[in-house]
Amino acid sequence: MTLTRRTVLKGAGAAFAALAARPVWAATELTLGDTRIFSLSDGHLTLPPEFIFAPMPKRELAPILAEHGLGDAPLTPPCNVTLMQSGDRLVLFDAGSGLSFQDSAGKLPDALDAVGLAPGDVTHVVFTHGHPDHLWGVLDDFDEPLFANAEHMIGKAEWDYWWNPNTVEEIGAERTAMAVGAKRRLEALEDAVSFFEDGQEILPGVAALATFGHTPGHMSFELRSGGDSVLVVGDAIGNHHVAFERPDWPSGSDQDQPTAAATRSRLLDRLAAERMRMIGFHLPAGGMGHVERKGAAYRFVPSQG
């Protein structure tokens, strides 16, 4: 049965309690005043190691990989979609992969169903950026918007980048399919999308933070209630190993590697200094945790697991 928004909100306590009891879908939850925040699993990706590690110095990289138990096997980063319930708003940060990217991903509709929610109950979908595992889940099997009742929100710089007809020619052959897929999905959303800029409060208690580099218009979001906050970082901090050990190194996953490295270093410094909680899209244990200094580097401390 498809739930109405009124039914969902009336039964939100039971639904979200069920979510917390299903670690396959939600590793943990946190609260900010009356706002409740959960991590839903969209599955995981399967990536060749060189997708991230190719531009890094091999000799210095080897001990970091060994410390984290990584070898030559494919990387399988989780995909954590943040769900925020605040008053009558149900907000998703990113939409997952859908069924057209990788078989191991695209599980978000199942995650919603497991906790008694339906795509039609979502009021807002807010994008960090336009890569497939964050954007492609906006369309259903019939190429219609999956979150039919939601307002879709994206940074203007990110929209302009993927909308630009030159992007598909300039992005590089290995990313051409990303550009084509992003443009097709954004065209489907054109009449249901709104734009925002760096520093703007896009929803009550939700402020956009420019974290450019992974993509030209990548955004993170500071969720705040009173003096408490959590930062949804998307792919600005893209893994729990090299990104923390050597944030200054270039990563093959980033489109503008020098800018992304500077952004990553700045974010980690702030998160560690302020002891602010964070949610990372590809970090373990649902991506929820905090950052601690580790000598001249950093480490991710999950809230659970």
Side-chain angles (χ1 to χ4, degrees), residues 5 12 14 35 42 92 97-98 104 110 130 136 138 154 161 169 185 202 208 211 235 243 252 260 263-264 266 279 291:
R5 188 172 303 159
T35 298
D42 191 51
L92 282 176
S97 294
S104 59
D110 295 333
W136 285 18
V138 294
I154 190 170
Y161 174 73
E169 302 294 335
R185 286 158 178 85
I202 63 171
T211 48
D235 283 4
T263 293
R264 191 162 46 245
R266 184 175 66 251
I279 308 174
V291 178

Side-chain angles (χ1 to χ4, degrees), residues 147-249:
F147 305 99
N149 298 324
E151 178 182 357
H152 295 71
M153 310 176 75
I154 190 170
K156 187 62 165 59
E158 187 72 0
W159 173 278
D160 288 346
Y161 174 73
W162 296 109
W163 198 261
N164 187 335
N166 295 327
T167 294
V168 70
E169 302 294 335
E170 297 172 354
I171 197 172
E174 71 282 359
R175 297 180 190 262
T176 298
M178 290 186 180
V180 172
K183 181 69 177 298
R184 181 167 72 84
R185 286 158 178 85
L186 294 179
E187 286 175 340
L189 298 178
E190 187 175 8
D191 295 331
V193 71
S194 62
F195 306 118
F196 54 83
E197 306 286 350
D198 177 34
Q200 184 176 339
E201 185 176 40
I202 63 171
L203 292 167
V206 180
L209 175 66
T211 48
F212 299 165
H214 182 68
T215 61
H218 187 287
M219 287 284 187
S220 298
F221 303 95
E222 183 174 350
L223 316 185
R224 181 171 291 280
S225 178
D228 201 6
S229 62
V230 61
L231 195 64
V232 178
V233 303
D235 283 4
I237 303 172
N239 59 71
H240 68 288
H241 34 80
V242 182
F244 285 79
E245 299 275 1
R246 289 303 304 258
D248 57 315
W249 280 357

Side-chain angles (χ1 to χ4, degrees), residues 85-155:
Q85 187 247 336
S86 179
D88 61 355
R89 292 185 298 276
L90 285 171
V91 184
L92 282 176
F93 293 89
D94 292 327
S97 294
L99 301 179
S100 302
F101 187 47
Q102 293 192 1
D103 291 343
S104 59
K107 314 301 182 185
L108 180 59
D110 295 333
L112 288 168
D113 182 67
V115 299
L117 300 175
D121 300 314
V122 174
T123 61
H124 299 80
V125 181
V126 181
F127 297 105
T128 60
H129 64 295
H131 279 167
D133 48 330
H134 298 256
L135 172 65
W136 285 18
V138 294
L139 299 185
D140 63 17
D141 294 346
F142 302 98
D143 281 349
E144 297 292 333
L146 178 63
F147 305 99
N149 298 324
E151 178 182 357
H152 295 71
M153 310 176 75
I154 190 170

Side-chain angles (χ1 to χ4, degrees), residues 52-57 242 246-254 257-258 261 264:
I52 293 176
F53 304 140
M56 299 179 182
V242 182
R246 289 303 304 258
D248 57 315
W249 280 357
S251 172
S253 64
D254 296 327
Q257 294 176 9
R264 191 162 46 245

